[in-house]
Amino acid sequence: MAIRRLCVVLGDQLDLDSALFDDFDPAQDCLWMAEVSSEAQHVPSHKARIAIFLAAMRHFSVVLRQRGWPLEYLRLGEHPHETLSQALNASVSRLAAQQVCCVQPGEWRLCAALRAAAEQAGARWIDYPDRHFLCQPDEFADWARGRKQLRMEHFYHYMRKRYRILLDEQGQPVGGAWNFDARNRGSFARQGPGMLPAPCAFQPDAPTREVLQAVERHFPHHPGSLEAFDWPLTPAQAEQALEDFIEQRLPAFGQYQDAMWSGEPWLYHARLSAALNLKLIHPRRVIEAAVDALQSRQAPIEAVEGFVRQVLGWREFVRGVYWLRMPQFAEQNILAHGQPLPWLYWGGDTDMHCLSECVGQTMSYGYAHHIQRLMVLGNFALLLGVRPEAIHRWFLAVYVDAVEWVELPNVLGMSQYADGGHMVSKPYVASGAYVKRMSNYCQHCRFDPALAVGEKACPFTTLYWDFLDRHQQRFAQHPRTALQWRALSGKQAQLQAIREQAERWRRRLAEGAREPC
């Protein structure tokens, strides 16, 4: 018997308020979910990234069945299909579905593949807008129209005004400013962070343990560990994680959001990005909780505004940029960088303590906070001259919150400046001095961030000056970077030695560069 609609629920669309369910009729429609190996293998995904998707999907499927809704759920290892498009094509053909409905996928690749699979099987493809976001792609395109460059700060003001968030009765920003960055660049200094409130953890239940075993069985050679897996996997757990963050860590989040410390992966961060990206909790709820904390004087304005900016501003902004500029965005490489990604990013040995700490943490948890990603891991790849596609694939592979709509613009646009400044006004490059200022990493390292040449020279510092030298013609007259590049004149006596030492680092780090599995 033919069905009217086969309604696709993807692993990052676990939202009961989704538009997909608005006119779902269990008498003539069927829900469809599938676990396939290719979604873990098109980049060599971290075991925790695979597990969080599969475990959250299985928990969501229980809720759907409890509602009495028909659901076809294809489990990993229990069907012959390697890709979602193959599995969908087979199901559409077998069920004789007239239509295939899906909320807009979070990847261009997947959107194109699923549409083609449905139409090849003779079904009409219908996609719905993703109401989980506060700005739809067409609205973002309207905002962006006529702008030569896209700047998050301008978009953030637009979103604050549209939703009247952190505005007073006169429509002015609460606290008298749109952002409080000057208060939000604190480090822990030598005394360290002290006793930190540990975020609430969610020990794996029986279905999750089953997923962890399946990941180890099907993807034994993938990077990362599952030993510390304790992520929220349901809306109730996501709500608990939010409340824990608001109470325990939001008050100090603003001041210390950029700080790093050895052995402390979480610090004052929320651990909510994966739950948001899986659609376990709505960004409006997260924003409202933070604003309520300000109004109840539980958290200061700099903490609340800094957090709201990440959710309402940056998160919505990068999604808009992604859908505005794909698929060409993925191929951008304006700086013509071509170095392979060093093996150290996949857990290889390195004497650079900051990289060892951030990569080690990533492999253990599938997590690093935004400054570790931008100013350590991304900064080093940019200074080294890594091919943007290679570092993009790595970021997409190793973090539990990685979906391409959020990861690709952050990496290619912000971190690697591969789009030539369309998203950010200048490249985010810094020497080892920045790492020393914002962390204690350098205290445990054999390299000296003050030195650019010699045996103890910090690779970040050597490569920083080499980057300025290599790209001097492009940036020396740039109004936002002229001062930074002007400092290069003070290194003229060392410049040839810096170039030679940088080239030795590039050759050394290129040896054995490869992807795992």
Side-chain angles (χ1 to χ4, degrees):
M1 178 179 175
I3 65 170
R4 181 182 68 155
R5 293 176 176 173
L6 188 62
C7 299
V8 176
V9 180
L10 297 175
D12 62 340
Q13 297 179 349
L14 311 180
D15 176 11
L16 284 172
D17 293 324
S18 166
L20 188 70
F21 304 123
D22 284 355
D23 56 356
F24 180 78
D25 181 357
Q28 54 183 338
D29 300 334
C30 181
L31 297 170
W32 186 88
M33 301 176 74
E35 304 169 1
V36 295
S37 59
S38 67
E39 289 304 299
Q41 293 171 331
H42 78 277
V43 293
S45 293
H46 192 297
K47 291 176 181 178
R49 180 174 184 258
I50 304 170
I52 198 170
F53 274 82
L54 299 188
M57 287 171 65
R58 292 191 186 183
H59 281 85
F60 191 66
S61 72
V62 172
V63 175
L64 297 177
R65 287 195 169 109
Q66 286 173 344
R67 293 196 166 198
W69 290 348
L71 168 65
E72 176 155 310
Y73 192 106
L74 307 180
R75 283 197 174 202
L76 193 68
E78 297 179 3
H79 62 86
H81 310 294
E82 293 186 2
T83 70
L84 279 175
S85 55
Q86 291 170 356
L88 179 62
N89 183 279
S91 292
V92 172
S93 298
R94 179 170 48 80
L95 296 171
Q98 299 169 26
Q99 300 173 358
V100 173
C101 303
C102 184
V103 169
Q104 183 183 33
E107 292 194 6
W108 182 278
R109 165 193 65 89
L110 199 53
C111 189
L114 293 180
R115 177 189 291 270
E119 293 177 346
Q120 186 182 48
R124 179 186 172 202
W125 171 266
I126 301 174
D127 58 18
Y128 295 101
D130 195 334
R131 294 196 302 233
H132 173 86
F133 294 95
L134 299 174
C135 183
Q136 294 302 320
D138 56 351
E139 180 187 354
F140 185 87
D142 288 342
W143 173 84
R145 190 169 291 113
R147 299 174 187 262
K148 293 182 180 179
Q149 297 173 322
L150 305 181
R151 295 292 175 259
M152 190 283 291
E153 191 69 21
H154 301 156
F155 174 75
Y156 172 54
H157 295 178
Y158 164 78
M159 292 293 283
R160 288 265 296 270
K161 292 173 183 176
R162 183 188 167 191
Y163 286 98
R164 296 199 59 80
I165 292 173
L166 295 177
L167 298 182
D168 62 23
E169 293 181 357
Q170 288 72 44
Q172 297 302 306
V174 171
W178 288 103
N179 75 63
F180 297 87
D181 276 351
R183 304 184 200 174
N184 288 347
R185 298 191 178 108
S187 63
F188 295 118
R190 295 189 66 87
Q191 69 269 21
M195 294 294 292
L196 288 165
C200 62
F202 302 92
Q203 294 306 312
D205 57 11
T208 302
R209 290 195 299 273
E210 186 179 14
V211 166
L212 300 182
Q213 293 167 3
V215 171
E216 294 286 14
R217 182 168 65 254
H218 289 282
F219 308 103
H221 304 299
H222 276 236
S225 170
L226 292 172
E227 291 183 9
F229 190 90
D230 62 357
W231 295 98
L233 299 171
T234 67
Q237 290 179 342
E239 178 67 25
Q240 186 180 342
L242 170 63
E243 293 173 358
D244 175 71
F245 167 66
I246 297 294
E247 179 181 346
Q248 298 291 334
R249 299 187 300 288
L250 176 62
F253 168 79
Q255 182 179 1
Y256 296 119
Q257 64 179 292
D258 289 359
M260 301 173 283
W261 200 260
S262 295
E264 296 289 352
W266 316 121
L267 296 172
Y268 291 99
H269 292 270
R271 285 205 352 153
L272 287 168
S273 56
L276 278 164
N277 293 352
L278 294 174
K279 319 295 169 56
L280 301 178
I281 191 167
H282 198 281
R284 189 188 296 273
R285 166 64 187 134
V286 171
I287 293 166
E288 288 173 352
V291 173
D292 287 347
L294 174 67
Q295 294 173 343
S296 65
R297 299 186 179 181
Q298 187 178 352
I301 181 62
E302 61 268 25
V304 172
E305 186 281 318
F307 181 69
V308 167
R309 181 153 27 108
Q310 289 192 4
V311 180
L312 179 67
W314 194 254
R315 184 172 184 268
E316 298 282 339
F317 177 72
V318 297
R319 179 175 182 261
V321 171
Y322 179 83
W323 287 111
L324 184 69
R325 303 198 57 214
M326 284 296 284
Q328 295 84 3
F329 197 2
E331 301 169 359
Q332 302 245 270
N333 185 6
I334 196 71
L335 299 180
H337 284 174
Q339 280 286 118
L341 185 71
W343 178 243
L344 69 88
Y345 276 78
W346 297 106
D349 292 337
T350 177
D351 290 341
M352 290 173 275
H353 183 73
C354 60
L355 284 169
S356 177
E357 184 75 15
C358 293
V359 171
Q361 175 186 309
T362 296
M363 291 299 135
S364 294
Y365 304 105
Y367 172 85
H369 72 65
H370 66 281
I371 292 298
Q372 292 174 310
R373 299 190 202 193
L374 177 64
M375 298 308 299
V376 179
L377 299 161
N379 180 31
F380 190 74
L382 178 57
L383 296 177
L384 188 64
V386 169
R387 183 167 49 91
E389 183 193 8
I391 188 65
H392 149 59
R393 286 176 57 82
W394 183 81
F395 271 101
L396 184 60
V398 299
Y399 290 113
V400 296
D401 56 10
V403 183
E404 194 176 78
W405 65 262
V406 65
E407 174 275 328
L408 188 146
N410 269 308
V411 174
L412 267 64
M414 185 182 191
S415 172
Q416 300 302 296
Y417 201 80
D419 66 348
H422 191 73
M423 261 185 69
V424 295
S425 60
K426 62 179 181 178
Y428 279 85
V429 291
S431 71
Y434 176 88
V435 177
K436 181 179 181 180
R437 183 168 71 252
M438 299 308 300
S439 74
N440 71 333
Y441 293 160
C442 299
Q443 296 176 22
H444 307 283
C445 190
R446 76 175 184 88
F447 298 112
D448 185 342
L451 299 178
V453 295
E455 184 180 343
K456 291 189 176 182
C458 174
F460 272 85
T461 303
T462 303
L463 292 166
Y464 170 76
W465 293 111
D466 177 72
F467 180 92
L468 299 190
D469 177 46
R470 287 188 291 118
H471 297 293
Q472 187 171 184
Q473 185 173 0
R474 177 181 295 274
F475 294 110
Q477 305 304 317
H478 190 294
R480 294 292 307 278
T481 61
L483 185 62
Q484 195 173 15
W485 260 259
R486 200 173 301 144
L488 188 64
S489 62
K491 293 291 181 182
Q492 293 303 311
Q494 289 184 304
L495 204 50
Q496 185 57 36
I498 288 172
R499 292 168 182 157
E500 293 172 358
Q501 188 147 338
E503 184 57 30
R504 287 195 294 272
W505 272 113
R506 278 191 285 271
R507 288 198 302 268
R508 183 185 308 176
L509 291 170
E511 295 175 0
R514 65 193 188 281
E515 285 190 351
C517 48

